[in-house]
């Protein structure tokens, strides 16, 4: 398996522009997570999907952020409009089990490094 | 609000040393604690997961212990190797059933030959 695939790897955009990050989870995994990592705040969970349904989006920072999972093999994280403080590395992870199960192992993608100028 | 602290923030050791990385959390009401490894420019790799009812987990040269009452976990790395160089993060899930983990900032480890 190719693992969790994220695109693009790097994104540079100007303030106010729309940004869309993409994620393809591991085939057969039914849990998907979006994280953000910054020097200031460390690693934070933004949203968790189970069977394509958003279960917990309490980590989404603002209404400018939205995430979708139209099918089991694809998810997007959109920021509109983007701001410089959104600059971070965004990770997608998937798992074959629910987050609180004893055998929960999340597999992370390589991340998208976003720079908003 | 749960806070997770990792000490030290950075560590540089010669190859072959046995290491202890520390993780402390302020709220002992946790469901589980997990240790991850992050290589530069990459995502996280899960190393060990300890349920709140467990005291330790082992995988190869890694051993993680959990003392829930004192709010501490340690990751022991035996006979360190240059390939162990990475950032190690711990994360806890609160026992209330929240799906949102709280991560520490990590310990950056360099093992030099």
């Amino acid at each position: 398996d190719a693992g969790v695939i994220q695109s693009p790897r790097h994104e540079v955009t100007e303030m106010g522009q729309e940004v869309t990050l993409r994620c393809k989870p591991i085939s057969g995994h039914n849990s998907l997570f979006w994280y953000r990592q910054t020097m200031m705040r460390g690693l934070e969970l933004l949203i968790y999907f189970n069977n394509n349904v958003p279960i917990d989006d309490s980590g989404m920072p603002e209404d400018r952020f939205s995430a979708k999972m139209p099918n089991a093999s694809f998810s997007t994280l959109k920021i509109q409009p983007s701001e410089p403080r959104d600059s971070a590395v965004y990770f997608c992870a998937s798992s074959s089990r629910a987050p609180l199960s004893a055998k929960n192992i999340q597999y992370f993608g390589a991340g998208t490094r976003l720079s908003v100028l | 609000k749960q806070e997770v602290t990792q000490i030290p923030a950075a560590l540089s050791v010669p190859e072959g040393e046995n290491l202890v990385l520390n993780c402390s959390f302020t709220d002992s009401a946790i469901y589980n604690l997990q240790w991850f490894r992050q290589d530069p420019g990459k995502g996280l790799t899960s190393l060990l997961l300890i349920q709140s009812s467990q005291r330790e987990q082992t995988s190869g040269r890694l051993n993680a212990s959990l003392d829930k009452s004192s709010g501490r976990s340690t990751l022991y790395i035996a006979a360190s190797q240059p390939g162990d160089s990475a950032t190690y993060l711990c994360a806890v899930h609160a026992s209330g059933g929240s799906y949102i983990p709280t991560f520490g900032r990590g310990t950056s480890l360099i093992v030099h030959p």
Side-chain angles (χ1 to χ4, degrees), chain A residues 27-72:
Chain A
S27 177
H29 283 190
N30 58 2
S31 292
L32 184 139
F33 310 82
W34 281 101
Y35 291 87
R36 177 173 70 175
Q37 187 173 38
T38 62
M39 290 293 291
M40 285 288 291
R41 300 173 66 91
L43 193 64
E44 304 170 286
L45 178 64
L46 301 178
I47 188 169
Y48 154 57
F49 289 88
N50 184 256
N51 292 324
N52 313 337
V53 176
I55 302 300
D56 192 331
D57 65 354
S58 58
M60 296 285 265
E62 302 173 35
D63 291 344
R64 298 183 296 106
F65 286 70
S66 62
K68 294 183 179 179
M69 192 164 186
N71 56 63

Side-chain angles (χ1 to χ4, degrees), chain B:
Chain B
K1 178 188 175 187
Q2 178 75 273
E3 292 183 4
V4 179
T5 303
Q6 292 189 244
I7 294 174
L11 189 60
S12 180
V13 299
E15 182 177 6
E17 279 203 7
N18 299 324
L19 308 172
V20 176
L21 307 183
N22 298 293
C23 172
S24 61
F25 43 96
T26 54
D27 187 348
S28 61
I30 66 168
Y31 188 82
N32 63 32
L33 182 145
Q34 197 162 8
W35 283 93
F36 294 88
R37 168 185 173 138
Q38 185 174 25
D39 292 282
K42 297 190 177 180
L44 277 65
T45 300
S46 178
L47 297 174
L48 292 164
L49 185 151
I50 310 176
Q51 296 295 105
S52 62
S53 58
Q54 297 175 320
R55 296 288 298 209
E56 66 178 344
Q57 284 283 347
T58 298
S59 175
R61 294 182 294 108
L62 304 180
N63 175 275
S65 66
L66 175 64
D67 185 341
K68 204 172 65 165
S69 61
S70 68
R72 293 180 183 176
S73 176
T74 60
L75 179 66
Y76 177 82
I77 304 176
S80 59
Q81 303 171 358
D84 295 330
S85 299
T87 297
Y88 291 81
L89 296 94
C90 67
V92 299
H93 273 108
S95 61
S98 169
Y99 297 113
I100 307 294
T102 303
F103 282 84
R105 293 303 187 91
T107 293
S108 177
L109 172 66
I110 296 176
V111 181
H112 48 88

Side-chain angles (χ1 to χ4, degrees), chain A:
Chain A
D1 198 317
V4 177
I5 299 173
Q6 291 187 246
S7 64
R9 288 296 313 275
H10 302 276
E11 177 79 33
V12 181
T13 190
E14 293 187 346
M15 183 174 62
Q17 296 297 306
E18 177 180 297
V19 175
T20 299
L21 312 181
R22 297 172 176 80
C23 175
K24 176 178 168 53
I26 293 173
S27 177
H29 283 190
N30 58 2
S31 292
L32 184 139
F33 310 82
W34 281 101
Y35 291 87
R36 177 173 70 175
Q37 187 173 38
T38 62
M39 290 293 291
M40 285 288 291
R41 300 173 66 91
L43 193 64
E44 304 170 286
L45 178 64
L46 301 178
I47 188 169
Y48 154 57
F49 289 88
N50 184 256
N51 292 324
N52 313 337
V53 176
I55 302 300
D56 192 331
D57 65 354
S58 58
M60 296 285 265
E62 302 173 35
D63 291 344
R64 298 183 296 106
F65 286 70
S66 62
K68 294 183 179 179
M69 192 164 186
N71 56 63
S73 60
F74 183 66
S75 177
T76 60
L77 178 67
K78 184 177 293 186
I79 309 172
Q80 165 64 19
S82 58
E83 297 182 4
R85 60 196 168 112
D86 302 331
S87 297
V89 180
Y90 291 81
F91 290 103
C92 175
S94 71
S95 172
S96 60
R97 294 177 181 264
L100 299 180
S101 72
K103 301 284 187 183
N104 173 44
I105 301 293
Q106 294 183 28
Y107 295 84
F108 281 70
T112 295
R113 182 173 295 277
L114 173 65
S115 297
V116 183
L117 307 177

